[in-house]
Short mmCIF file of all heavy atoms in Angstrom, two decimals:
data_model
loop_
_atom_site.label_atom_id
_atom_site.label_comp_id
_atom_site.label_asym_id
_atom_site.label_seq_id
_atom_site.Cartn_x
_atom_site.Cartn_y
_atom_site.Cartn_z
N TYR A 88 91.23 100.44 105.05
CA TYR A 88 90.88 99.50 106.20
C TYR A 88 90.36 98.12 105.71
O TYR A 88 90.77 97.12 106.10
CB TYR A 88 89.84 100.15 107.16
CG TYR A 88 89.48 99.27 108.28
CD1 TYR A 88 90.37 99.08 109.47
CD2 TYR A 88 88.35 98.44 108.29
CE1 TYR A 88 90.08 98.28 110.39
CE2 TYR A 88 88.06 97.64 109.44
CZ TYR A 88 88.94 97.57 110.37
OH TYR A 88 88.70 96.66 111.48
N ILE A 89 89.44 98.20 104.75
CA ILE A 89 88.89 97.00 104.16
C ILE A 89 90.04 96.14 103.46
O ILE A 89 90.14 94.94 103.68
CB ILE A 89 87.73 97.24 103.18
CG1 ILE A 89 86.56 97.79 104.03
CG2 ILE A 89 87.32 96.01 102.41
CD1 ILE A 89 85.41 98.37 103.24
N ILE A 90 90.87 96.88 102.71
CA ILE A 90 92.02 96.22 101.93
C ILE A 90 92.93 95.59 102.97
O ILE A 90 93.29 94.37 102.79
CB ILE A 90 92.80 97.28 101.17
CG1 ILE A 90 91.87 97.68 99.92
CG2 ILE A 90 94.04 96.61 100.53
CD1 ILE A 90 92.50 98.77 99.17
N PHE A 91 93.23 96.26 104.08
CA PHE A 91 94.12 95.78 105.09
C PHE A 91 93.54 94.44 105.69
O PHE A 91 94.27 93.44 105.92
CB PHE A 91 94.41 96.84 106.11
CG PHE A 91 95.15 96.23 107.30
CD1 PHE A 91 96.43 95.61 107.23
CD2 PHE A 91 94.63 96.30 108.61
CE1 PHE A 91 97.13 95.10 108.30
CE2 PHE A 91 95.37 95.74 109.72
CZ PHE A 91 96.56 95.18 109.54
N THR A 92 92.21 94.60 106.13
CA THR A 92 91.66 93.42 106.79
C THR A 92 91.37 92.23 105.93
O THR A 92 91.57 91.11 106.43
CB THR A 92 90.39 93.87 107.50
OG1 THR A 92 89.39 94.30 106.50
CG2 THR A 92 90.50 94.80 108.59
N LYS A 93 91.13 92.45 104.67
CA LYS A 93 90.86 91.36 103.65
C LYS A 93 92.22 90.82 103.10
O LYS A 93 92.32 89.60 102.82
CB LYS A 93 90.01 91.81 102.50
CG LYS A 93 88.56 92.09 102.88
CD LYS A 93 87.84 90.76 102.93
CE LYS A 93 86.37 91.08 103.09
NZ LYS A 93 85.73 89.76 103.41
N PHE A 94 93.15 91.68 102.89
CA PHE A 94 94.36 91.26 102.13
C PHE A 94 95.62 91.62 102.88
O PHE A 94 96.66 92.02 102.26
CB PHE A 94 94.37 92.00 100.73
CG PHE A 94 93.09 91.77 99.98
CD1 PHE A 94 92.14 92.86 99.83
CD2 PHE A 94 92.75 90.62 99.38
CE1 PHE A 94 90.97 92.75 99.16
CE2 PHE A 94 91.51 90.40 98.77
CZ PHE A 94 90.72 91.56 98.60
N PHE A 95 95.63 91.43 104.11
CA PHE A 95 96.73 91.65 104.99
C PHE A 95 98.18 90.94 104.65
O PHE A 95 99.15 91.32 104.94
CB PHE A 95 96.50 91.37 106.49
CG PHE A 95 96.01 89.88 106.71
CD1 PHE A 95 97.06 88.91 106.94
CD2 PHE A 95 94.69 89.48 106.62
CE1 PHE A 95 96.61 87.66 107.11
CE2 PHE A 95 94.36 88.17 106.72
CZ PHE A 95 95.33 87.21 107.04
N TYR A 96 97.93 89.82 103.78
CA TYR A 96 99.09 89.00 103.55
C TYR A 96 99.75 89.53 102.34
O TYR A 96 100.80 89.00 101.92
CB TYR A 96 98.63 87.59 103.27
CG TYR A 96 97.49 87.56 102.22
CD1 TYR A 96 97.82 87.48 100.90
CD2 TYR A 96 96.13 87.54 102.65
CE1 TYR A 96 96.77 87.35 100.03
CE2 TYR A 96 95.11 87.53 101.75
CZ TYR A 96 95.42 87.39 100.37
OH TYR A 96 94.40 87.42 99.52
N LEU A 97 99.23 90.52 101.67
CA LEU A 97 99.88 91.10 100.42
C LEU A 97 101.12 91.89 100.81
O LEU A 97 101.18 92.62 101.78
CB LEU A 97 98.97 92.01 99.62
CG LEU A 97 97.95 91.18 98.82
CD1 LEU A 97 96.95 92.20 98.17
CD2 LEU A 97 98.45 90.23 97.85
N LYS A 98 102.24 91.79 99.97
CA LYS A 98 103.46 92.48 100.19
C LYS A 98 103.28 93.90 99.61
O LYS A 98 102.47 94.16 98.78
CB LYS A 98 104.61 91.82 99.41
CG LYS A 98 104.87 90.32 99.90
CD LYS A 98 105.83 89.73 98.97
CE LYS A 98 106.02 88.20 99.22
NZ LYS A 98 106.91 87.59 98.27
N LEU A 99 104.09 94.71 100.26
CA LEU A 99 103.92 96.16 99.80
C LEU A 99 104.30 96.30 98.22
O LEU A 99 103.71 97.06 97.53
CB LEU A 99 104.93 97.06 100.51
CG LEU A 99 104.65 97.12 102.02
CD1 LEU A 99 105.62 98.18 102.67
CD2 LEU A 99 103.28 97.40 102.36
N THR A 100 105.30 95.44 97.92
CA THR A 100 105.62 95.55 96.38
C THR A 100 104.46 95.04 95.46
O THR A 100 104.20 95.58 94.47
CB THR A 100 106.87 94.67 96.12
OG1 THR A 100 106.67 93.36 96.67
CG2 THR A 100 108.05 95.33 96.63
N GLU A 101 103.74 94.08 96.05
CA GLU A 101 102.61 93.61 95.31
C GLU A 101 101.37 94.70 95.27
O GLU A 101 100.80 94.84 94.19
CB GLU A 101 102.00 92.38 95.94
CG GLU A 101 102.84 91.03 95.91
CD GLU A 101 102.43 89.87 96.69
OE1 GLU A 101 101.97 90.14 97.78
OE2 GLU A 101 102.60 88.79 96.21
N ILE A 102 101.16 95.38 96.41
CA ILE A 102 100.22 96.50 96.29
C ILE A 102 100.67 97.54 95.28
O ILE A 102 99.79 98.02 94.59
CB ILE A 102 100.07 97.03 97.81
CG1 ILE A 102 99.59 95.99 98.78
CG2 ILE A 102 99.19 98.29 97.75
CD1 ILE A 102 98.17 95.66 98.68
N LEU A 103 101.96 97.88 95.35
CA LEU A 103 102.43 98.90 94.39
C LEU A 103 102.18 98.41 92.97
O LEU A 103 101.70 99.25 92.11
CB LEU A 103 103.85 99.25 94.66
CG LEU A 103 104.19 99.97 95.88
CD1 LEU A 103 105.68 100.04 96.08
CD2 LEU A 103 103.57 101.29 96.03
N LEU A 104 102.53 97.21 92.75
CA LEU A 104 102.27 96.75 91.36
C LEU A 104 100.77 96.68 91.03
O LEU A 104 100.38 97.10 89.99
CB LEU A 104 102.78 95.21 91.32
CG LEU A 104 102.51 94.45 89.97
CD1 LEU A 104 103.20 95.18 88.87
CD2 LEU A 104 102.98 92.92 90.11
N PHE A 105 99.98 96.28 91.91
CA PHE A 105 98.47 96.40 91.71
C PHE A 105 98.11 97.71 91.28
O PHE A 105 97.35 97.94 90.33
CB PHE A 105 97.72 95.86 92.93
CG PHE A 105 96.22 96.32 92.86
CD1 PHE A 105 95.37 95.71 92.13
CD2 PHE A 105 95.92 97.47 93.66
CE1 PHE A 105 94.07 96.22 91.86
CE2 PHE A 105 94.53 97.96 93.58
CZ PHE A 105 93.61 97.24 92.70
N PHE A 106 98.51 98.80 92.14
CA PHE A 106 97.95 100.22 91.77
C PHE A 106 98.51 100.57 90.44
O PHE A 106 97.83 101.36 89.66
CB PHE A 106 98.33 101.12 92.86
CG PHE A 106 97.29 101.02 94.05
CD1 PHE A 106 97.59 100.51 95.32
CD2 PHE A 106 96.05 101.69 93.71
CE1 PHE A 106 96.64 100.34 96.21
CE2 PHE A 106 95.03 101.53 94.79
CZ PHE A 106 95.35 100.98 95.98
N VAL A 107 99.78 100.24 90.11
CA VAL A 107 100.24 100.56 88.67
C VAL A 107 99.34 99.92 87.61
O VAL A 107 98.93 100.65 86.68
CB VAL A 107 101.75 100.25 88.48
CG1 VAL A 107 102.12 100.31 87.11
CG2 VAL A 107 102.61 101.03 89.40
N LYS A 108 99.03 98.67 87.78
CA LYS A 108 98.21 97.97 86.85
C LYS A 108 96.78 98.60 86.84
O LYS A 108 96.10 98.75 85.83
CB LYS A 108 98.20 96.57 87.08
CG LYS A 108 99.53 95.86 86.87
CD LYS A 108 99.53 94.45 87.23
CE LYS A 108 98.86 93.45 86.31
NZ LYS A 108 99.22 93.56 84.83
N PHE A 109 96.33 98.98 88.07
CA PHE A 109 95.01 99.53 88.22
C PHE A 109 94.91 100.88 87.47
O PHE A 109 94.02 101.08 86.65
CB PHE A 109 94.65 99.80 89.72
CG PHE A 109 93.26 100.28 89.99
CD1 PHE A 109 92.23 99.52 89.91
CD2 PHE A 109 93.11 101.66 90.26
CE1 PHE A 109 90.87 100.04 90.11
CE2 PHE A 109 91.84 102.18 90.52
CZ PHE A 109 90.79 101.40 90.44
#
Side-chain angles (χ1 to χ4, degrees):
Y88 180 78
I89 292 168
I90 292 170
F91 171 60
T92 57
K93 291 276 191 194
F94 309 107
F95 58 88
Y96 54 88
L97 288 175
K98 299 173 188 175
L99 301 188
T100 52
E101 293 171 325
I102 298 279
L103 291 175
L104 175 62
F105 162 75
F106 276 107
V107 168
K108 292 176 75 56
F109 182 77

